[in-house]
Amino acid sequence: MAYKIAIIVGSLREGSINRRVARTICGLRGDNLDCSMVEIGDLPLYNQDLDANPPEQWTRFRKQVGEADGVLFCSPEYNRGIPGVLKNAIDVGSRPYGQSVFDKKPAAIVTASPGSIGGFGANHQIRQAAVFLNMPIMQQPEAYLGHVSDDSFGEDGCIKEGPLKDLISGLAQSFHDWVHMIHESRRLLAEDSAHAALQAKAKEHA
Ligand SMILES: Cc1cc2nc3c(=O)[nH]c(=O)nc-3n(C[C@H](O)[C@H](O)[C@H](O)COP(=O)(O)O)c2cc1C
């Protein structure tokens, strides 16, 4: 069974390298990760006053993320931090209080940059928000992809063969395994408690 993955790209740029990295990940694991990009460019800025009557774009975004089994963030770094458009999307999905669509969703964070430190600052700011949002974040491999440029991609828009593709390929496999482990352990725990409840009931009536 393929897990449904919501991919949130922190760049609105048409030729975004992060979007192309995300596309490569989707292509590599099409057999067991059913990926869709969730657009964030049209989301009105988060304003708590609107929660009583939310804009339809917020509702669409919350529904798309809510239905996913996991979330993959692929983002650039802006001024050593998280791009505003991505922070806004995270804020929109996290509210109303107690109804966050991110809660308990396994996730991974990838940042790509032409620079040499691969968006490390943004990566960890996303991670910081995800900790608060109670998302089990894949720890390894970390993905600070440095020196990524237009030259890194082929005409199909995906990463060319080489060390970067090998790294992304390993990451995609690890992300699948991570999402599977989280969901499978929850399923087993639920089975265990259902079984324990049945046993307790049987004991009561014995
Ligand atoms: C407003 C702005 C701030 C940026 N700040 C950083 C930065 O702090 N670190 C970095 O590595 N690159 C920075 N860059 C360069 C981006 O990494 C580069 O433009 C990258 O291609 C953006 O990602 P995208 O191709 O997915 O849109 C910045 C770019 C912009 C437009």
Side-chain angles (χ1 to χ4, degrees):
M1 186 197 81
Y3 290 103
K4 281 178 81 171
I5 304 299
I7 300 191
I8 303 180
V9 177
S11 170
L12 305 183
R13 200 168 76 84
E14 190 148 336
S16 162
I17 56 174
N18 283 279
R19 186 171 289 267
R20 282 182 279 170
V21 166
R23 202 176 294 138
T24 305
I25 295 174
C26 298
L28 283 168
R29 294 254 55 96
D31 50 338
N32 50 25
L33 293 179
D34 173 11
C35 300
S36 6
M37 307 255 184
V38 179
E39 296 306 326
I40 60 174
D42 62 339
L43 297 176
L45 286 180
Y46 182 71
N47 174 347
Q48 205 172 345
D49 290 341
L50 303 184
D51 267 339
N53 189 14
E56 42 137 344
Q57 297 94 327
W58 289 9
T59 308
R60 185 264 310 155
F61 175 77
R62 288 169 177 164
K63 184 168 183 292
Q64 286 178 310
V65 177
E67 286 171 357
D69 300 310
V71 178
L72 175 66
F73 295 97
C74 282
S75 181
E77 173 176 84
Y78 280 179
N79 301 309
R80 293 286 178 260
I82 187 170
V85 69
L86 176 57
K87 184 61 168 62
N88 183 54
I90 291 174
D91 295 341
V92 167
S94 70
R95 292 280 157 154
Y97 184 75
Q99 294 172 45
S100 166
V101 293
F102 296 114
D103 189 47
K104 298 193 180 75
K105 293 235 192 280
I109 303 165
V110 177
T111 47
S113 166
S116 52
I117 56 174
F120 176 88
N123 194 301
H124 278 267
Q125 285 191 353
I126 300 167
R127 193 170 288 266
Q128 185 177 335
V131 168
F132 180 66
L133 294 171
N134 194 30
M135 303 180 85
I137 298 286
M138 184 171 78
Q139 305 294 309
Q140 295 290 341
E142 293 164 283
Y144 319 113
L145 310 179
H147 306 293
V148 182
S149 68
D150 286 340
D151 285 347
S152 312
F153 302 91
E155 277 180 12
D156 59 353
C158 293
I159 297 172
K160 289 177 187 165
E161 295 302 324
L164 181 61
K165 185 160 177 191
D166 295 345
L167 195 151
I168 288 291
S169 189
L171 185 137
Q173 179 64 51
S174 300
F175 184 45
H176 166 267
D177 294 349
W178 178 248
V179 173
H180 180 64
M181 185 188 77
I182 301 282
H183 284 288
E184 192 59 10
S185 48
R186 283 182 191 152
R187 190 185 65 75
L188 291 171
L189 276 172
E191 253 180 40
D192 266 5
S193 30
H195 184 66
L198 273 177
Q199 278 191 326
K201 217 169 192 180
K203 222 172 184 181
E204 249 174 49
H205 296 293

mmCIF file with all atom_site columns, all heavy atoms in Angstrom, residues 72-89:
data_model
loop_
_atom_site.group_PDB
_atom_site.id
_atom_site.type_symbol
_atom_site.label_atom_id
_atom_site.label_alt_id
_atom_site.label_comp_id
_atom_site.label_asym_id
_atom_site.label_entity_id
_atom_site.label_seq_id
_atom_site.pdbx_PDB_ins_code
_atom_site.Cartn_x
_atom_site.Cartn_y
_atom_site.Cartn_z
_atom_site.occupancy
_atom_site.B_iso_or_equiv
_atom_site.pdbx_formal_charge
_atom_site.auth_seq_id
_atom_site.auth_comp_id
_atom_site.auth_asym_id
_atom_site.auth_atom_id
_atom_site.pdbx_PDB_model_num
ATOM 1   N N   . LEU A 1 72 ? 6.010  16.003 3.714  1.00 0.00 ? 72 LEU A N   1
ATOM 2   C CA  . LEU A 1 72 ? 7.403  16.268 3.333  1.00 0.00 ? 72 LEU A CA  1
ATOM 3   C C   . LEU A 1 72 ? 7.543  17.762 3.066  1.00 0.00 ? 72 LEU A C   1
ATOM 4   O O   . LEU A 1 72 ? 6.842  18.309 2.214  1.00 0.00 ? 72 LEU A O   1
ATOM 5   C CB  . LEU A 1 72 ? 7.752  15.476 2.071  1.00 0.00 ? 72 LEU A CB  1
ATOM 6   C CG  . LEU A 1 72 ? 9.129  15.729 1.481  1.00 0.00 ? 72 LEU A CG  1
ATOM 7   C CD1 . LEU A 1 72 ? 10.240 15.255 2.429  1.00 0.00 ? 72 LEU A CD1 1
ATOM 8   C CD2 . LEU A 1 72 ? 9.272  15.027 0.127  1.00 0.00 ? 72 LEU A CD2 1
ATOM 9   N N   . PHE A 1 73 ? 8.414  18.393 3.844  1.00 0.00 ? 73 PHE A N   1
ATOM 10  C CA  . PHE A 1 73 ? 8.693  19.810 3.619  1.00 0.00 ? 73 PHE A CA  1
ATOM 11  C C   . PHE A 1 73 ? 9.938  19.907 2.742  1.00 0.00 ? 73 PHE A C   1
ATOM 12  O O   . PHE A 1 73 ? 10.980 19.318 3.080  1.00 0.00 ? 73 PHE A O   1
ATOM 13  C CB  . PHE A 1 73 ? 8.978  20.529 4.946  1.00 0.00 ? 73 PHE A CB  1
ATOM 14  C CG  . PHE A 1 73 ? 7.811  20.572 5.892  1.00 0.00 ? 73 PHE A CG  1
ATOM 15  C CD1 . PHE A 1 73 ? 7.679  19.650 6.922  1.00 0.00 ? 73 PHE A CD1 1
ATOM 16  C CD2 . PHE A 1 73 ? 6.834  21.560 5.752  1.00 0.00 ? 73 PHE A CD2 1
ATOM 17  C CE1 . PHE A 1 73 ? 6.610  19.702 7.807  1.00 0.00 ? 73 PHE A CE1 1
ATOM 18  C CE2 . PHE A 1 73 ? 5.747  21.618 6.633  1.00 0.00 ? 73 PHE A CE2 1
ATOM 19  C CZ  . PHE A 1 73 ? 5.640  20.687 7.666  1.00 0.00 ? 73 PHE A CZ  1
ATOM 20  N N   . CYS A 1 74 ? 9.851  20.648 1.638  1.00 0.00 ? 74 CYS A N   1
ATOM 21  C CA  . CYS A 1 74 ? 11.024 20.920 0.785  1.00 0.00 ? 74 CYS A CA  1
ATOM 22  C C   . CYS A 1 74 ? 11.104 22.427 0.652  1.00 0.00 ? 74 CYS A C   1
ATOM 23  O O   . CYS A 1 74 ? 10.207 23.040 0.063  1.00 0.00 ? 74 CYS A O   1
ATOM 24  C CB  . CYS A 1 74 ? 10.847 20.346 -0.614 1.00 0.00 ? 74 CYS A CB  1
ATOM 25  S SG  . CYS A 1 74 ? 11.111 18.594 -0.710 1.00 0.00 ? 74 CYS A SG  1
ATOM 26  N N   . SER A 1 75 ? 12.151 23.006 1.178  1.00 0.00 ? 75 SER A N   1
ATOM 27  C CA  . SER A 1 75 ? 12.116 24.474 1.252  1.00 0.00 ? 75 SER A CA  1
ATOM 28  C C   . SER A 1 75 ? 13.473 25.121 1.030  1.00 0.00 ? 75 SER A C   1
ATOM 29  O O   . SER A 1 75 ? 14.505 24.570 1.428  1.00 0.00 ? 75 SER A O   1
ATOM 30  C CB  . SER A 1 75 ? 11.596 24.886 2.633  1.00 0.00 ? 75 SER A CB  1
ATOM 31  O OG  . SER A 1 75 ? 11.532 26.294 2.732  1.00 0.00 ? 75 SER A OG  1
ATOM 32  N N   . PRO A 1 76 ? 13.432 26.327 0.459  1.00 0.00 ? 76 PRO A N   1
ATOM 33  C CA  . PRO A 1 76 ? 14.665 27.118 0.451  1.00 0.00 ? 76 PRO A CA  1
ATOM 34  C C   . PRO A 1 76 ? 14.861 27.774 1.816  1.00 0.00 ? 76 PRO A C   1
ATOM 35  O O   . PRO A 1 76 ? 13.967 27.696 2.684  1.00 0.00 ? 76 PRO A O   1
ATOM 36  C CB  . PRO A 1 76 ? 14.394 28.200 -0.602 1.00 0.00 ? 76 PRO A CB  1
ATOM 37  C CG  . PRO A 1 76 ? 12.929 28.329 -0.716 1.00 0.00 ? 76 PRO A CG  1
ATOM 38  C CD  . PRO A 1 76 ? 12.329 27.030 -0.238 1.00 0.00 ? 76 PRO A CD  1
ATOM 39  N N   . GLU A 1 77 ? 15.998 28.381 1.984  1.00 0.00 ? 77 GLU A N   1
ATOM 40  C CA  . GLU A 1 77 ? 16.260 29.210 3.165  1.00 0.00 ? 77 GLU A CA  1
ATOM 41  C C   . GLU A 1 77 ? 16.235 30.662 2.700  1.00 0.00 ? 77 GLU A C   1
ATOM 42  O O   . GLU A 1 77 ? 16.838 30.989 1.681  1.00 0.00 ? 77 GLU A O   1
ATOM 43  C CB  . GLU A 1 77 ? 17.646 28.873 3.703  1.00 0.00 ? 77 GLU A CB  1
ATOM 44  C CG  . GLU A 1 77 ? 18.115 29.769 4.836  1.00 0.00 ? 77 GLU A CG  1
ATOM 45  C CD  . GLU A 1 77 ? 19.473 29.301 5.365  1.00 0.00 ? 77 GLU A CD  1
ATOM 46  O OE1 . GLU A 1 77 ? 20.509 29.676 4.783  1.00 0.00 ? 77 GLU A OE1 1
ATOM 47  O OE2 . GLU A 1 77 ? 19.478 28.537 6.341  1.00 0.00 ? 77 GLU A OE2 1
ATOM 48  N N   . TYR A 1 78 ? 15.507 31.502 3.433  1.00 0.00 ? 78 TYR A N   1
ATOM 49  C CA  . TYR A 1 78 ? 15.519 32.936 3.153  1.00 0.00 ? 78 TYR A CA  1
ATOM 50  C C   . TYR A 1 78 ? 16.135 33.647 4.349  1.00 0.00 ? 78 TYR A C   1
ATOM 51  O O   . TYR A 1 78 ? 15.611 33.554 5.473  1.00 0.00 ? 78 TYR A O   1
ATOM 52  C CB  . TYR A 1 78 ? 14.091 33.452 2.925  1.00 0.00 ? 78 TYR A CB  1
ATOM 53  C CG  . TYR A 1 78 ? 13.512 33.190 1.533  1.00 0.00 ? 78 TYR A CG  1
ATOM 54  C CD1 . TYR A 1 78 ? 12.214 33.594 1.221  1.00 0.00 ? 78 TYR A CD1 1
ATOM 55  C CD2 . TYR A 1 78 ? 14.253 32.560 0.529  1.00 0.00 ? 78 TYR A CD2 1
ATOM 56  C CE1 . TYR A 1 78 ? 11.671 33.379 -0.031 1.00 0.00 ? 78 TYR A CE1 1
ATOM 57  C CE2 . TYR A 1 78 ? 13.706 32.335 -0.730 1.00 0.00 ? 78 TYR A CE2 1
ATOM 58  C CZ  . TYR A 1 78 ? 12.421 32.746 -1.009 1.00 0.00 ? 78 TYR A CZ  1
ATOM 59  O OH  . TYR A 1 78 ? 11.875 32.522 -2.264 1.00 0.00 ? 78 TYR A OH  1
ATOM 60  N N   . ASN A 1 79 ? 17.218 34.341 4.094  1.00 0.00 ? 79 ASN A N   1
ATOM 61  C CA  . ASN A 1 79 ? 17.868 35.117 5.162  1.00 0.00 ? 79 ASN A CA  1
ATOM 62  C C   . ASN A 1 79 ? 18.087 34.291 6.426  1.00 0.00 ? 79 ASN A C   1
ATOM 63  O O   . ASN A 1 79 ? 17.707 34.668 7.528  1.00 0.00 ? 79 ASN A O   1
ATOM 64  C CB  . ASN A 1 79 ? 17.066 36.400 5.426  1.00 0.00 ? 79 ASN A CB  1
ATOM 65  C CG  . ASN A 1 79 ? 16.973 37.239 4.164  1.00 0.00 ? 79 ASN A CG  1
ATOM 66  O OD1 . ASN A 1 79 ? 17.991 37.509 3.542  1.00 0.00 ? 79 ASN A OD1 1
ATOM 67  N ND2 . ASN A 1 79 ? 15.770 37.589 3.747  1.00 0.00 ? 79 ASN A ND2 1
ATOM 68  N N   . ARG A 1 80 ? 18.632 33.107 6.184  1.00 0.00 ? 80 ARG A N   1
ATOM 69  C CA  . ARG A 1 80 ? 18.998 32.156 7.239  1.00 0.00 ? 80 ARG A CA  1
ATOM 70  C C   . ARG A 1 80 ? 17.783 31.618 8.008  1.00 0.00 ? 80 ARG A C   1
ATOM 71  O O   . ARG A 1 80 ? 17.924 31.108 9.131  1.00 0.00 ? 80 ARG A O   1
ATOM 72  C CB  . ARG A 1 80 ? 20.002 32.762 8.238  1.00 0.00 ? 80 ARG A CB  1
ATOM 73  C CG  . ARG A 1 80 ? 21.358 33.043 7.619  1.00 0.00 ? 80 ARG A CG  1
ATOM 74  C CD  . ARG A 1 80 ? 22.115 31.736 7.399  1.00 0.00 ? 80 ARG A CD  1
ATOM 75  N NE  . ARG A 1 80 ? 23.402 31.962 6.755  1.00 0.00 ? 80 ARG A NE  1
ATOM 76  C CZ  . ARG A 1 80 ? 23.633 31.787 5.441  1.00 0.00 ? 80 ARG A CZ  1
ATOM 77  N NH1 . ARG A 1 80 ? 22.680 31.383 4.627  1.00 0.00 ? 80 ARG A NH1 1
ATOM 78  N NH2 . ARG A 1 80 ? 24.820 31.982 4.928  1.00 0.00 ? 80 ARG A NH2 1
ATOM 79  N N   . GLY A 1 81 ? 16.595 31.746 7.404  1.00 0.00 ? 81 GLY A N   1
ATOM 80  C CA  . GLY A 1 81 ? 15.419 31.245 8.118  1.00 0.00 ? 81 GLY A CA  1
ATOM 81  C C   . GLY A 1 81 ? 14.369 30.686 7.167  1.00 0.00 ? 81 GLY A C   1
ATOM 82  O O   . GLY A 1 81 ? 14.603 30.465 5.977  1.00 0.00 ? 81 GLY A O   1
ATOM 83  N N   . ILE A 1 82 ? 13.193 30.452 7.717  1.00 0.00 ? 82 ILE A N   1
ATOM 84  C CA  . ILE A 1 82 ? 12.082 29.834 7.006  1.00 0.00 ? 82 ILE A CA  1
ATOM 85  C C   . ILE A 1 82 ? 11.384 30.891 6.127  1.00 0.00 ? 82 ILE A C   1
ATOM 86  O O   . ILE A 1 82 ? 11.142 31.998 6.610  1.00 0.00 ? 82 ILE A O   1
ATOM 87  C CB  . ILE A 1 82 ? 11.124 29.232 8.079  1.00 0.00 ? 82 ILE A CB  1
ATOM 88  C CG1 . ILE A 1 82 ? 10.012 28.402 7.506  1.00 0.00 ? 82 ILE A CG1 1
ATOM 89  C CG2 . ILE A 1 82 ? 10.540 30.273 8.959  1.00 0.00 ? 82 ILE A CG2 1
ATOM 90  C CD1 . ILE A 1 82 ? 9.257  27.644 8.595  1.00 0.00 ? 82 ILE A CD1 1
ATOM 91  N N   . PRO A 1 83 ? 11.114 30.611 4.864  1.00 0.00 ? 83 PRO A N   1
ATOM 92  C CA  . PRO A 1 83 ? 10.404 31.599 4.042  1.00 0.00 ? 83 PRO A CA  1
ATOM 93  C C   . PRO A 1 83 ? 9.031  31.926 4.641  1.00 0.00 ? 83 PRO A C   1
ATOM 94  O O   . PRO A 1 83 ? 8.330  31.029 5.149  1.00 0.00 ? 83 PRO A O   1
ATOM 95  C CB  . PRO A 1 83 ? 10.246 30.892 2.695  1.00 0.00 ? 83 PRO A CB  1
ATOM 96  C CG  . PRO A 1 83 ? 11.314 29.850 2.674  1.00 0.00 ? 83 PRO A CG  1
ATOM 97  C CD  . PRO A 1 83 ? 11.458 29.406 4.110  1.00 0.00 ? 83 PRO A CD  1
ATOM 98  N N   . GLY A 1 84 ? 8.652  33.216 4.551  1.00 0.00 ? 84 GLY A N   1
ATOM 99  C CA  . GLY A 1 84 ? 7.388  33.648 5.158  1.00 0.00 ? 84 GLY A CA  1
ATOM 100 C C   . GLY A 1 84 ? 6.196  32.855 4.668  1.00 0.00 ? 84 GLY A C   1
ATOM 101 O O   . GLY A 1 84 ? 5.289  32.515 5.442  1.00 0.00 ? 84 GLY A O   1
ATOM 102 N N   . VAL A 1 85 ? 6.179  32.524 3.378  1.00 0.00 ? 85 VAL A N   1
ATOM 103 C CA  . VAL A 1 85 ? 5.023  31.830 2.809  1.00 0.00 ? 85 VAL A CA  1
ATOM 104 C C   . VAL A 1 85 ? 4.843  30.439 3.439  1.00 0.00 ? 85 VAL A C   1
ATOM 105 O O   . VAL A 1 85 ? 3.715  29.968 3.646  1.00 0.00 ? 85 VAL A O   1
ATOM 106 C CB  . VAL A 1 85 ? 5.157  31.773 1.263  1.00 0.00 ? 85 VAL A CB  1
ATOM 107 C CG1 . VAL A 1 85 ? 6.279  30.849 0.831  1.00 0.00 ? 85 VAL A CG1 1
ATOM 108 C CG2 . VAL A 1 85 ? 3.875  31.390 0.609  1.00 0.00 ? 85 VAL A CG2 1
ATOM 109 N N   . LEU A 1 86 ? 5.967  29.806 3.771  1.00 0.00 ? 86 LEU A N   1
ATOM 110 C CA  . LEU A 1 86 ? 5.891  28.475 4.396  1.00 0.00 ? 86 LEU A CA  1
ATOM 111 C C   . LEU A 1 86 ? 5.463  28.602 5.865  1.00 0.00 ? 86 LEU A C   1
ATOM 112 O O   . LEU A 1 86 ? 4.645  27.821 6.350  1.00 0.00 ? 86 LEU A O   1
ATOM 113 C CB  . LEU A 1 86 ? 7.236  27.754 4.288  1.00 0.00 ? 86 LEU A CB  1
ATOM 114 C CG  . LEU A 1 86 ? 7.318  26.394 4.998  1.00 0.00 ? 86 LEU A CG  1
ATOM 115 C CD1 . LEU A 1 86 ? 6.242  25.429 4.490  1.00 0.00 ? 86 LEU A CD1 1
ATOM 116 C CD2 . LEU A 1 86 ? 8.698  25.767 4.811  1.00 0.00 ? 86 LEU A CD2 1
ATOM 117 N N   . LYS A 1 87 ? 5.995  29.607 6.544  1.00 0.00 ? 87 LYS A N   1
ATOM 118 C CA  . LYS A 1 87 ? 5.601  29.795 7.955  1.00 0.00 ? 87 LYS A CA  1
ATOM 119 C C   . LYS A 1 87 ? 4.099  30.070 8.032  1.00 0.00 ? 87 LYS A C   1
ATOM 120 O O   . LYS A 1 87 ? 3.407  29.565 8.923  1.00 0.00 ? 87 LYS A O   1
ATOM 121 C CB  . LYS A 1 87 ? 6.410  30.948 8.566  1.00 0.00 ? 87 LYS A CB  1
ATOM 122 C CG  . LYS A 1 87 ? 6.135  31.168 10.062 1.00 0.00 ? 87 LYS A CG  1
ATOM 123 C CD  . LYS A 1 87 ? 6.493  29.926 10.875 1.00 0.00 ? 87 LYS A CD  1
ATOM 124 C CE  . LYS A 1 87 ? 6.517  30.190 12.365 1.00 0.00 ? 87 LYS A CE  1
ATOM 125 N NZ  . LYS A 1 87 ? 5.238  30.616 12.943 1.00 0.00 ? 87 LYS A NZ  1
ATOM 126 N N   . ASN A 1 88 ? 3.602  30.853 7.060  1.00 0.00 ? 88 ASN A N   1
ATOM 127 C CA  . ASN A 1 88 ? 2.168  31.144 7.042  1.00 0.00 ? 88 ASN A CA  1
ATOM 128 C C   . ASN A 1 88 ? 1.362  29.853 6.876  1.00 0.00 ? 88 ASN A C   1
ATOM 129 O O   . ASN A 1 88 ? 0.370  29.630 7.575  1.00 0.00 ? 88 ASN A O   1
ATOM 130 C CB  . ASN A 1 88 ? 1.854  32.127 5.903  1.00 0.00 ? 88 ASN A CB  1
ATOM 131 C CG  . ASN A 1 88 ? 0.396  32.522 5.883  1.00 0.00 ? 88 ASN A CG  1
ATOM 132 O OD1 . ASN A 1 88 ? -0.145 32.974 6.892  1.00 0.00 ? 88 ASN A OD1 1
ATOM 133 N ND2 . ASN A 1 88 ? -0.266 32.337 4.754  1.00 0.00 ? 88 ASN A ND2 1
ATOM 134 N N   . ALA A 1 89 ? 1.818  28.980 5.965  1.00 0.00 ? 89 ALA A N   1
ATOM 135 C CA  . ALA A 1 89 ? 1.102  27.717 5.737  1.00 0.00 ? 89 ALA A CA  1
ATOM 136 C C   . ALA A 1 89 ? 1.110  26.861 7.003  1.00 0.00 ? 89 ALA A C   1
ATOM 137 O O   . ALA A 1 89 ? 0.101  26.228 7.358  1.00 0.00 ? 89 ALA A O   1
ATOM 138 C CB  . ALA A 1 89 ? 1.745  26.961 4.576  1.00 0.00 ? 89 ALA A CB  1
#
